[in-house]
Amino acid sequence: MNTVKDRISEMIDGKRVIVKKPELLAPAGNLEKLKIAVHYGADAVFIGGQEYGLRSNADNFTLEEIKEGVEFAKQYGAKIYVTTNIYAHNENIPGLEEYMLGLKEAGVAGIIVADPLIIETCRRVAPEIEVHLSTQQSLSNWKAIQFWQQEGLERVVLARETSADEIREMKEKVDIEIETFIHGAMCIAYSGRCVLSNHMTARDSNRGGCCQSCRWDYDLYRLEGSDQEVPLFAEGDAPFAMSPKDLNLIQSIPKMIELGIDSLKIEGRMKSIHYIATVVSVYRKVIDTYCADPDNFEIKQEWLKELDKCANRETAPAFFEGVPGYKEQMFGNHSKKTSYEFVGLVLDYNQETQMVTLQQRNHFRPGDEVEFFGPEIENFTHVIEKIWDEKGQELDAARHPLQIVQFKLDKPVYPNNMMRKGN
Amino acid sequence: MTKPELLVTPISVDDIVPLVEAGADAFVIGEQRYGLRLAGEFNREDVAKAIALAHANGKKVYVAMNAIFHNEKVEELAEYLRFVSSVNADAVIFGDPAVLMTAREVAPEMKLHWSTETTGTNWYTCNYWGRKGAKRAVLAREINMDAIIETKEQAEVEIEVQVHGMSCMFQSKRSLLGNYFEYQGKVMEVENHKQQKDMFLHDKERGNKYPIFEDDNGTHIMSPNDICIIDELQDMLEAGVDSFKIDGILKSPGYILAVTKIYREAIDLYFENPDLYEDKKDELLEKIEEIQPANRPLDTGFFFKETVY
C-alpha cells in the first residue's frame, strides 16, 4: 500500500512539491460574499438556499441567485456546494424533490447533507449532484466513514472532535474525500446532538433555529439531599460557561496537507465580506506557499496578524491537536472587538489621475490611516487626504453607507480590493 | 391491536425482578464505554445476569451501544458484539454506523435498534435505517404527537417513543465541568466532582435547572423537566406505537419502580377498555405527581409543543 505521503508530494527537479493541493472551501451568506470569496481565492464556496439549510438567520440564496453564483464561480473554475443539512421532520418532506431539481438546474456541484432522507432524495432525482455528509452527523471513526462510502457518498465532513492521528487512520483505511474545518466558530457539542435551543427557546437547532444557548452563562450547583442547593462558585467568580474559542488551524495547515485532507473549510455564512476576504486570502497564501516548497516553509507573522484583523473572538486549534482544555473556552467577560473595521470597497482606480473610487462601508475621514489589501496587491497603509463625492463635491467625511467616494492614492489598487481602518 | 412494549431502564441487576413484577416488558442496559446516558452501569457479568433473569421471566433486554465512537474503540466493537450475542441479548441499540457495519460482520442475526436520540425526526429516515438492517427506530424527543402518529403509520420498522423521564439536550466531547473547575483553580474539585451526577446548571432567566454530568462520552446536559404523558397515551396506543420507554436516568430505583407500575396500569386499562383509561388517567397522573422529586417538574415535552426555526 502506498503511504499517504507518496500520493501527496513528488520530487520535481530535486525539490519536493505538493501535488495534491487541498480545496480551500469558503462560506458565503449572499451573492456579494460568494463573489468576494471566489475572487479572493476560494476553490469552492458553500452557500445556503431558502430551505433545508441550517442558518435561518442568514440571507440565504434563491434558486436564481444560486444559478448566478454557480455561473460566476465557473469563470474562476470554482465550485458551489449548497448546505441542505437539516434533520428534516415529516412536514419538511413535501417540496424536497422539487428543491433538489432546482439545485440540479442551477448547476451546483454538491450538497452538504446530514439526513438520509435528503441523501436518498437527491440521489433519486438529481444524481448529478455530489453528496457530501455534513458535520451534523458527527462522523468520528473510519468504520462509519466506510459505511457512508459504501452508500455512495463522494465526500464526508468530519466531526470537529477528530484529531490529526484519527484523520490519518481514516485516510489510510477509507478511500473517500475528507473535508475538515480549519477556521471559524464551532459547536461545543457534537453537531447534531444538541437541542438546547429547542428546550430553552422552542427553536429547532437541527433545522436552523439554533439560538446559541451554549454562549450563555449558567450557575453551577450541587444538589445535596433532596433540596439543598450548594453553589460551586464563590461570590464574584465567573459563572459556568461552555463557549468555545473560535477554531484557528493556520499552524496546522502543513500537517493537514500532508495528511491528504481533500478540502479545508472555513466556517461563517453569517460573516462579512471583510471577514471572508481576509480569512480566505490568508489561507490561500498559506496553502500555495506550502505546496510550492513544503520543506522550506514557515508560517509568516504577517499572516497571523492579518487573521487577527478580522477576528471577533479569541481563537484556538481545538481537537486537531488534542482534547481542548479550559484555555480553549471563554469564561467571564470575553467579548473581543475586532481590531480593524472594514471601511471601503474599491470599485475603480484611475492610473493617470491616481484617483480611487470606493463604496463606503463605514465612516472614515481625511487624516485617517487606512490599509488596503486584496489578491492583486501587497497590503499597504495610506493616510487619507481630501475626499470627494461622485459629483466632485469635497466631503469632510465619508459618512453614508454605500456612498460612492473618491480620493487620491499613489499606489494602484483593483476592483474588490478592500480598505480597512484600525479601531 | 397489540399492547406496546413497556421499556424501562434499571439501575442494577437487583432491579430486574421487581421491575418485571411491576410490569416492565423489556430493559435497556449497558456500560458507558459503549452506551449513552444509561440509568445504571452494567458490566459484562451484570449484563449476563440481567439477561438471564429477564429471560427467565419472559422479558427482553436491549444492550446499548449507541455512543459516538472514535477510531480507538472501533476494533473492540466486534468483541463486545460477540459477547452481547453470546449472552443472548434481544437487541443492540446503535447510533453510529460503525456498530451496524460491525454487526453485519460478526453478529448478523442480532436485532438492531437505531437510536441517536436527536436525529430520528422523520419516517423516511426511520425506514432508511430499517433498510440498512435496523428492526426498530427510536424517535427524537423533539417531535410532536401528530408527527409521531404519522411516522408510525408510514414506518416499516418498530417505533419506540420515550413517554417518561428526562431527555438529553446536549453532548460535548469536552470535559466542561472539569474545565470549569480547572479554570477556577479548584484542582481537587476536578477529581471529587467531575464524575458525580448531582450537579445542575441554573438558568436564571428561564428559572430552569438542567442536570449536568460527565462520563467517558463527554459532558451531558439534561432537560429541566421530566416528560410525563401518562394521561395522553391514547393516540399512540391507538396508532400501535411499538414501544413506550420510561427513562430512569438520575432517578432512584423506587421511583422507577413506581412509575413503571403506573404506566403498566394505564396500558392495561386501555386494552381492557379505552373508557376505563379515560376515566382513570387523571388519577394516574396525580399518582406520579405525588412521587415526583421537587426539583423535577413534569411536562409533556415536545408532544404538544411546536418549535420554529
Side-chain angles (χ1 to χ4, degrees):
Chain A
M1 187 172 152
N2 283 350
T3 66
V4 168
K5 215 155 188 148
D6 286 338
R7 285 180 270 131
I8 287 156
S9 62
E10 273 173 22
M11 297 301 285
I12 295 175
D13 297 334
K15 187 179 117 186
R16 193 168 78 92
V17 294
I18 300 293
V19 291
K20 183 184 171 182
K21 208 185 227 194
E23 169 186 275
L24 178 59
L25 175 56
N30 60 33
L31 258 180
E32 183 189 35
K33 293 174 189 177
L34 178 153
K35 289 175 181 174
I36 289 292
V38 170
H39 185 76
Y40 277 74
D43 301 307
V45 178
F46 66 100
I47 63 176
Q50 304 279 5
E51 292 172 275
Y52 303 101
L54 269 187
R55 292 284 179 283
S56 304
N57 290 330
D59 292 348
N60 293 324
F61 288 65
T62 62
L63 284 171
E64 270 309 300
E65 289 169 329
I66 293 175
K67 200 168 182 180
E68 189 182 337
V70 168
E71 272 152 24
F72 178 86
K74 215 179 263 171
Q75 300 164 31
Y76 289 77
K79 290 176 181 170
I80 300 296
Y81 306 136
V82 177
T83 57
T84 50
N85 55 347
I86 64 163
Y87 280 107
H89 288 208
N90 293 347
E91 64 188 18
N92 304 118
I93 298 176
L96 179 59
E97 285 187 13
E98 209 182 318
Y99 184 64
M100 289 296 141
L101 286 169
L103 294 181
K104 179 175 90 170
E105 199 87 337
V108 308
I111 57 170
I112 304 169
V113 197
D115 194 326
L117 157 74
I118 303 180
I119 295 173
E120 293 208 323
T121 305
C122 179
R123 280 294 185 236
R124 190 157 42 78
V125 307
E128 304 80 352
I129 301 178
E130 280 191 15
V131 177
H132 300 174
L133 193 74
S134 164
T135 194
Q136 280 285 100
Q137 275 279 358
S138 276
L139 198 51
S140 304
N141 70 73
W142 60 266
K143 193 113 185 169
I145 297 177
Q146 218 167 51
F147 172 84
W148 294 111
Q149 186 230 21
Q150 288 175 12
E151 287 297 286
L153 269 56
E154 281 81 5
R155 178 186 291 189
V156 292
V157 187
L158 298 183
R160 271 81 160 230
E161 287 78 5
T162 44
S163 70
D165 289 341
E166 288 171 338
I167 297 171
R168 177 176 294 110
E169 193 180 357
M170 291 168 179
K171 263 288 166 198
E172 282 166 5
K173 291 199 160 127
V174 196
D175 183 19
I176 190 169
E177 288 183 11
I178 283 184
E179 175 179 314
T180 60
F181 283 88
I182 53 170
H183 202 90
M186 61 184 158
C187 295
I188 187 100
Y190 276 109
S191 290
R193 301 299 182 96
C194 172
V195 287
L196 290 179
S197 289
N198 302 53
H199 285 263
M200 296 182 185
T201 63
R203 293 177 62 86
D204 191 347
S205 42
N206 290 327
R207 285 192 289 171
C210 172
C211 65
Q212 307 206 19
S213 315
C214 62
R215 302 280 183 193
W216 303 346
D217 285 337
Y218 302 90
D219 286 334
L220 181 66
Y221 287 85
R222 189 160 53 82
L223 193 67
E224 229 172 63
S226 64
D227 56 0
Q228 189 82 3
E229 298 179 350
V230 184
L232 292 175
F233 56 95
E235 190 88 17
D237 275 2
F240 177 90
M242 45 185 160
S243 194
K245 290 184 180 174
D246 283 358
L247 181 67
N248 176 342
L249 283 174
I250 185 169
Q251 303 279 3
S252 305
I253 296 299
K255 204 188 222 175
M256 300 182 103
I257 294 172
E258 297 291 350
L259 284 175
I261 295 172
D262 299 86
S263 178
L264 304 176
K265 181 177 203 165
I266 297 163
E267 177 279 344
R269 279 163 44 210
M270 312 276 280
K271 294 292 205 303
S272 68
I273 58 169
H274 175 240
Y275 179 93
I276 291 169
T278 305
V279 176
V280 168
S281 59
V282 169
Y283 280 100
R284 179 77 276 154
K285 283 175 196 154
V286 175
I287 294 168
D288 290 350
T289 310
Y290 185 79
C291 289
D293 188 6
D295 297 329
N296 294 297
F297 175 84
E298 259 177 69
I299 289 277
K300 289 184 186 160
Q301 282 306 309
E302 65 190 60
W303 295 336
L304 303 179
K305 277 190 200 147
E306 186 74 7
L307 272 184
D308 203 43
K309 287 174 187 170
C310 67
N312 48 9
R313 283 198 193 104
E314 287 185 55
T315 64
F319 285 91
F320 189 75
E321 306 286 0
V323 178
Y326 76 92
K327 287 180 181 157
E328 306 205 16
Q329 285 173 236
M330 296 178 288
F331 295 96
N333 185 9
H334 46 64
S335 60
K336 174 179 162 147
K337 216 173 171 274
T338 44
S339 54
Y340 278 77
E341 215 168 24
F342 171 42
V343 291
L345 181 69
V346 174
L347 300 178
D348 186 42
Y349 182 76
N350 188 320
Q351 295 276 3
E352 277 165 39
T353 60
Q354 295 197 328
M355 192 70 87
V356 60
T357 307
L358 288 109
Q359 187 183 58
Q360 192 266 27
R361 290 305 181 99
N362 242 313
H363 186 276
F364 63 91
R365 57 159 30 113
D368 282 347
E369 187 183 85
V370 294
E371 179 181 55
F372 284 88
F373 74 102
E376 302 87 351
I377 58 172
E378 289 291 319
N379 289 21
F380 67 90
T381 57
H382 171 81
V383 177
I384 295 175
E385 291 167 13
K386 286 182 178 174
I387 306 175
W388 294 277
D389 71 8
E390 268 179 302
K391 295 174 190 134
Q393 198 93 23
E394 193 177 334
L395 301 171
D396 65 336
R399 49 177 96 249
H400 304 298
L402 306 183
Q403 184 179 16
I404 309 296
V405 299
Q406 299 185 308
F407 58 81
K408 282 245 180 195
L409 187 65
D410 49 12
K411 285 189 191 164
V413 288
Y414 300 85
N416 292 315
N417 284 175
M418 291 189 190
M419 182 174 93
R420 54 160 85 108
K421 189 177 89 172
N423 271 321
Chain B
M1 208 157 53
T2 50
K3 283 188 186 182
E5 161 190 280
L6 186 57
L7 177 61
V8 299
T9 60
I11 294 171
S12 72
V13 175
D14 294 341
D15 299 332
I16 301 287
V17 173
L19 283 170
V20 167
E21 287 163 0
D25 298 313
F27 302 96
V28 175
I29 60 171
E31 57 180 292
Q32 58 173 284
R33 187 165 183 83
Y34 305 105
L36 287 180
R37 299 176 284 276
L38 294 152
E41 187 71 4
F42 285 67
N43 63 26
R44 292 186 187 203
E45 200 183 319
D46 295 333
V47 168
K49 277 190 204 160
I51 292 173
L53 280 171
H55 285 180
N57 287 281
K59 307 300 176 192
K60 290 178 174 168
V61 175
Y62 311 140
V63 176
M65 293 182 72
N66 58 340
I68 295 171
F69 294 104
H70 285 255
N71 289 353
E72 55 167 5
K73 285 188 191 163
V74 168
E75 300 291 354
E76 61 187 85
L77 294 178
E79 202 258 324
Y80 192 67
L81 271 164
R82 278 194 204 100
F83 156 74
V84 170
S85 197
S86 74
V87 293
N88 300 316
D90 297 282
V92 157
I93 304 164
F94 82 99
D96 194 317
V99 175
L100 180 82
M101 297 281 283
T102 311
R104 285 175 184 170
E105 293 160 16
V106 305
E109 71 300 330
M110 176 61 73
K111 279 195 183 135
L112 297 172
H113 293 178
W114 175 65
S115 172
T116 61
E117 301 213 334
T118 54
T119 71
T121 51
N122 67 71
W123 59 262
Y124 187 101
T125 292
C126 294
N127 290 344
Y128 170 87
W129 290 108
R131 291 195 297 279
K132 299 303 154 194
K135 288 279 175 287
R136 173 183 295 188
V138 181
L139 298 189
R141 279 66 173 162
E142 292 73 30
I143 63 175
N144 64 35
M145 186 69 85
D146 291 345
I148 291 170
I149 303 298
E150 189 192 359
T151 299
K152 173 57 198 167
E153 284 165 4
Q154 302 282 345
E156 293 152 8
V157 287
E158 294 174 10
I159 295 295
E160 177 186 313
V161 173
Q162 184 182 342
V163 294
H164 194 91
M166 70 174 73
S167 62
C168 174
M169 306 195 292
F170 172 100
Q171 182 189 346
S172 174
K173 185 174 164 68
R174 301 191 199 211
S175 167
L176 298 177
L177 288 167
N179 286 354
Y180 181 54
F181 292 138
E182 259 188 75
Y183 164 76
Q184 288 177 315
K186 294 180 185 165
V187 185
M188 290 304 290
E189 299 275 8
V190 178
E191 289 319 309
N192 290 346
H193 288 311
K194 218 177 87 169
Q195 292 285 336
Q196 291 186 13
K197 294 198 169 162
D198 57 357
M199 283 173 278
F200 65 88
L201 298 177
H202 184 211
D203 175 348
K204 282 179 283 201
E205 206 170 315
R206 277 156 213 83
N208 285 338
K209 291 165 186 173
Y210 314 118
I212 178 169
F213 64 89
E214 277 186 25
D215 64 13
D216 284 0
N217 295 298
T219 308
H220 311 268
I221 303 176
M222 309 299 286
S223 62
N225 303 327
D226 284 342
I227 299 168
C228 173
I229 52 158
I230 187 77
D231 57 337
E232 296 284 358
L233 297 172
Q234 60 283 346
D235 292 351
M236 289 195 292
L237 289 166
E238 179 71 25
V241 168
D242 302 273
S243 178
F244 287 176
K245 184 184 184 188
I246 295 170
D247 199 320
I249 185 167
L250 304 183
K251 293 294 195 303
S252 69
Y255 177 89
I256 299 170
L257 195 69
V259 170
T260 302
K261 276 184 194 158
I262 299 168
Y263 276 87
R264 177 79 274 154
E265 191 181 344
I267 296 167
D268 290 348
L269 275 174
Y270 184 87
F271 278 85
E272 202 180 320
N273 182 341
D275 292 339
L276 286 178
Y277 167 71
E278 206 54 40
D279 291 344
K280 212 165 173 208
K281 64 185 193 181
D282 292 341
E283 199 182 306
L284 297 177
L285 175 61
E286 280 165 29
K287 276 196 195 172
I288 292 179
E289 282 167 346
E290 277 165 31
I291 56 167
Q292 192 62 17
N295 61 335
R296 296 295 304 167
L298 293 172
D299 75 2
T300 52
F302 289 89
F303 283 95
F304 306 105
K305 188 155 88 184
E306 293 302 324
T307 49
V308 295
Y309 52 95

